[in-house]
Amino acid sequence: MKSNLKKLAHNGIALVAPITVPYQRKTDKPASYFIGSALREILRSASLEKEMCDGLLVSSFSLAPDTVASLAEAFDMCLNWAEQVPLGGASGVIGLRRAARSIEVGDADIIACIGGDTFIPEEFSNLLGRFSNCSIDGVNPYASGGANLSFALLTRAYMEAFNISREDFGKLCILQRGNARRYRNALFKESLSLETYLGARVVAEPLGLFDCVMPCAGAEGFLMMREVKAMELGLPYALLRASGERHNASNPVDMPFSFGWKDFKDNLYDACEISPEEIDIVQVYDDYPVMALLQLEELGFCAVGQAAHRLSGSGLIHGGKTIHVNTSGGQLSSGQAGFAGGFLGLVEAVRQLTGSALGNQFTHVKRALVSGFGMINYDRGLCAAAAILESAENEC
Amino acid sequence: MSVENSNALKQLARTSLGALATVQSREAARAIDESSQWVSDRLVIQCCQDCGRGHYPARPLCPHCLSENLWWKSYANEGRLLSFTNLYITLNSLFREGAPWRIGLVAHESGTNLHVFLDSDNFHIGQKVAVFSLSDTVGEAVFFAADPDACGVQGATSLARKFSMLT
């Protein structure tokens, strides 16, 4: 099935006021607390009255039975536009796409986009066990391994297919931890050695403790508006240049090593009139190291099975330069605050592009690629999304 | 903790897990029971009568042609191992006792991928496996796989007893 994937470009859409509600390992607060706290901090950061925000987009694993409508009341907002994206780690980029199109056609002026979750261990296990009907019937009876089971299977198959070692995954985890050490909000800031990585508790072979994200509570969010509005308000912003998504695109029979990004990546770069080597930073969805590597490969930075061999310093060597990867340390260092994990890369990209990183600012950051991945229904994740953002100074 | 208490807790945890099973999964378990070939070299998988394609887990409509004319087809039990793991950390306290669990993913000739319990550590990716089904203690259909050269139907029967007790 071929989709019309040509129209991936966006014009004059700005991302403003990137906010992280610091992650917590323990809490008794509900999801609405974290989402609302993000909204408060976003408005404060942009010096904006709540009434000026006429759209609200949320993604949350633990908000149910409440919805974005409940939040409109909880936050006393009268909205022109409300949206809820239930697509896990793809929610951030896909939410951004929905919000951008709605602003482009004039359905909303200023949209707050927030991913946020609470983390209460007993409820978390129940939620994971009921992730989909197929997982209830076809995965959960196999010792209730959750996502660790699916990604252990994928990781081993990837290692065998491309001759990748645990040390190779360790390189990525250590690289991201290096970035996290300078990021103010990271839950894990201590240096990670290869020895510690390899010697960690086994979760599901070949996955060890440092291959798995720490579930926690928190939120990530930002505002979206027209570029002219951001300029009028005098707010620093990053521009959305192009975005795409693809669902259920992998080969259904074998163990999948591609999930849909390759189907639209050329259109994505074409829409910005750039090639991958003109990207300065990449924020890939890192629920497990194997997914981070597969995204780098499928998005065109190297051939499949090669990403681990290209890692160096703070990122990936491509086209004679280092493309910085997961500059805040990703979820592997910051923790996974539920669906906020799908917004973490966007928030960090906007910070890097506006020169407002929280401790790990890279220089000469003009373009960022952010990808999201989500929703294991049965034996594989289904939703792949990516967006290219640009610093405002870079505009022609 | 007494043995009775431990067993009662185990049953409670298992029941809460099984209570989530969908109607389709229960039908699948019934189909396996009714095939009266419990532990055989045949595997019962949901199949579409209109387009002829198999699917797993069972569902209310054929995912390929969206037909509702579905039945339970008996397939050969051969499959190819796509990957495997030893699972140490589980979300359900019931499974803590038996950990680590050897679990694999098998590409089956019905065109579906099946999760399976594995009977030993002696597997490699790409090898042929024999897949057997059993209806577990809460009425859910689960599969286990063994080396076809080392495990005939008789061997599978004793393995099924073992897995029934485990799950």
Side-chain angles (χ1 to χ4, degrees):
Chain A
M1 183 183 66
K2 287 282 164 202
S3 308
N4 177 8
L5 295 170
K6 297 222 169 88
K7 295 177 180 169
L8 300 186
H10 298 275
N11 268 319
I13 297 294
L15 283 80
V16 171
I19 284 295
T20 301
V21 176
Y23 294 1
Q24 301 175 13
R25 302 266 300 268
K26 278 185 183 164
T27 183
D28 55 3
K29 304 276 201 316
S32 59
Y33 167 86
F34 293 96
I35 297 169
S37 298
L39 178 66
R40 181 189 65 231
E41 295 309 313
I42 286 168
L43 294 170
R44 185 180 292 168
S45 150
S47 305
L48 216 60
E49 294 299 318
K50 195 171 64 181
E51 288 65 35
M52 288 185 69
C53 185
D54 68 340
L56 178 63
L57 180 143
V58 298
S59 291
S60 180
F61 188 45
S62 54
L63 182 62
D66 286 358
T67 67
V68 66
S70 326
L71 294 180
E73 188 196 57
F75 306 154
D76 189 23
M77 299 172 88
C78 177
L79 300 168
N80 290 326
W81 188 94
E83 180 66 281
Q84 193 163 355
V85 182
L87 302 177
S91 296
V93 176
I94 290 174
L96 162 108
R97 305 196 76 218
R98 302 289 179 271
R101 292 303 183 214
S102 295
I103 293 166
E104 284 165 13
V105 298
D107 285 348
D109 283 331
I110 299 180
I111 298 176
C113 300
I114 302 168
D117 267 296
T118 186
F119 172 63
I120 295 164
E122 312 80 60
E123 292 175 17
F124 183 72
S125 295
N126 284 333
L127 278 172
L128 280 184
R130 291 196 300 266
F131 201 71
S132 69
N133 283 320
C134 282
S135 67
I136 289 169
D137 289 347
V139 188
N140 215 24
Y142 299 88
S144 295
N148 290 335
L149 169 61
S150 304
F151 285 98
L153 294 169
L154 175 63
T155 300
R156 190 190 298 275
Y158 177 85
M159 288 170 78
E160 180 134 335
F162 303 108
N163 198 22
I164 299 293
S165 65
R166 285 207 68 221
E167 284 81 353
D168 292 324
F169 293 118
K171 265 164 70 181
L172 178 81
C173 295
I174 291 163
L175 177 159
Q176 291 197 187
R177 184 61 65 85
N179 284 335
R181 293 187 72 192
R182 291 179 288 275
Y183 173 58
R184 195 189 302 160
N185 288 333
L187 273 186
F188 302 101
K189 286 203 183 77
E190 62 279 20
S191 156
L192 178 64
S193 71
L194 188 59
E195 196 182 7
T196 306
Y197 169 84
L198 292 172
R201 182 179 174 190
V202 180
V203 172
E205 288 171 352
L207 302 178
L209 195 61
F210 294 104
D211 296 302
C212 304
V213 292
M214 173 67 71
C216 58
E220 305 268 353
F222 47 84
L223 289 176
M224 291 183 67
M225 61 187 73
R226 287 186 176 280
E227 183 183 14
V228 288
K229 176 75 83 178
M231 292 169 82
E232 183 189 308
L233 293 169
L235 296 168
Y237 62 92
L239 279 169
L240 172 63
R241 291 295 312 277
S243 69
E245 68 189 78
R246 195 88 159 130
H247 305 272
N248 193 29
S250 61
N251 176 342
V253 180
D254 285 323
M255 187 61 85
F257 298 128
S258 78
F259 295 87
W261 290 285
K262 67 174 168 46
D263 298 342
F264 66 84
K265 73 166 168 54
D266 290 343
N267 298 80
L268 197 67
Y269 296 124
D270 288 351
C272 306
E273 297 174 334
I274 61 163
S275 55
E277 48 269 21
E278 290 172 81
I279 298 287
D280 302 303
I281 58 171
V282 183
Q283 314 289 348
V284 287
Y285 189 78
D286 61 331
D287 51 352
Y288 294 87
V290 69
M291 279 317 304
L293 298 180
L294 282 166
Q295 279 159 87
L296 292 169
E297 293 160 3
E298 210 183 329
L299 284 161
F301 295 100
C302 57
V304 61
Q306 292 304 305
H309 307 308
R310 301 286 189 85
L311 297 176
S312 177
S314 60
L316 180 103
I317 306 297
H318 181 65
K321 69 169 188 178
T322 300
I323 297 176
H324 309 296
V325 174
N326 291 356
T327 50
S328 65
Q331 299 178 80
L332 287 167
S333 301
S334 287
Q336 181 176 63
F339 287 7
F343 290 69
L344 176 149
L346 286 168
V347 166
E348 172 64 9
V350 176
R351 285 195 187 116
Q352 290 283 345
L353 291 166
T354 52
S356 59
L358 302 180
N360 195 35
Q361 180 71 51
F362 287 94
T363 52
H364 310 296
V365 181
K366 289 178 181 165
R367 284 187 203 89
L369 188 150
V370 184
S371 58
F373 176 66
M375 305 314 280
I376 295 188
N377 185 55
Y378 171 53
D379 67 341
R380 66 198 56 212
L382 298 180
C383 309
I388 293 175
L389 310 182
E390 207 168 82
S391 67
E393 294 80 35
N394 208 47
E395 205 185 5
C396 298
Chain B
M1 188 188 295
S2 72
V3 174
E4 289 77 23
N5 273 347
S6 160
N7 285 342
L9 278 176
K10 206 166 175 177
Q11 189 53 39
L12 191 67
R14 192 72 189 95
T15 305
S16 72
L17 183 74
L20 295 169
T22 65
V23 173
Q24 285 75 41
S25 171
R26 295 191 183 287
E27 281 179 16
R30 266 201 299 280
I32 289 164
D33 285 343
E34 285 163 11
S35 72
S36 66
Q37 291 173 326
W38 199 74
V39 187
S40 78
D41 57 359
R42 307 295 295 172
L43 208 56
V44 176
I45 300 283
Q46 192 188 41
C47 180
C48 177
Q49 287 183 313
D50 290 334
C51 74
R53 294 169 74 175
H55 10 94
Y56 182 84
R59 45 199 91 203
L61 290 177
C62 170
H64 309 295
C65 70
L66 304 180
S67 165
E68 57 185 294
N69 297 321
L70 308 173
W71 66 301
W72 302 98
K73 183 175 171 181
S74 168
Y75 288 90
N77 71 338
E78 279 179 14
R80 179 171 52 91
L81 192 62
L82 294 174
S83 191
F84 59 96
T85 182
N86 262 338
L87 182 80
Y88 285 76
I89 308 245
T90 160
L91 297 169
N92 189 314
S93 56
L94 166 76
F95 291 109
R96 275 183 204 143
E97 203 177 302
W101 296 86
R102 284 186 290 262
I103 298 166
L105 188 68
V106 170
H108 180 246
E109 68 154 32
S110 55
T112 61
N113 292 343
L114 310 173
H115 288 86
V116 296
F117 287 110
L118 294 168
D119 77 319
S120 81
D121 277 329
N122 301 321
F123 286 99
H124 60 267
I125 287 177
Q127 86 164 68
K128 274 193 178 170
V129 291
V131 181
F132 302 93
S133 56
L134 63 99
S135 169
D136 74 8
T137 48
V138 293
E140 279 188 285
V142 294
F143 300 105
F144 65 95
D147 180 344
D149 298 327
C151 181
V153 172
Q154 209 170 8
T157 305
S158 69
L159 276 176
R161 277 195 208 100
K162 184 178 135 197
F163 283 117
S164 292
M165 284 163 71
L166 284 177
T167 64

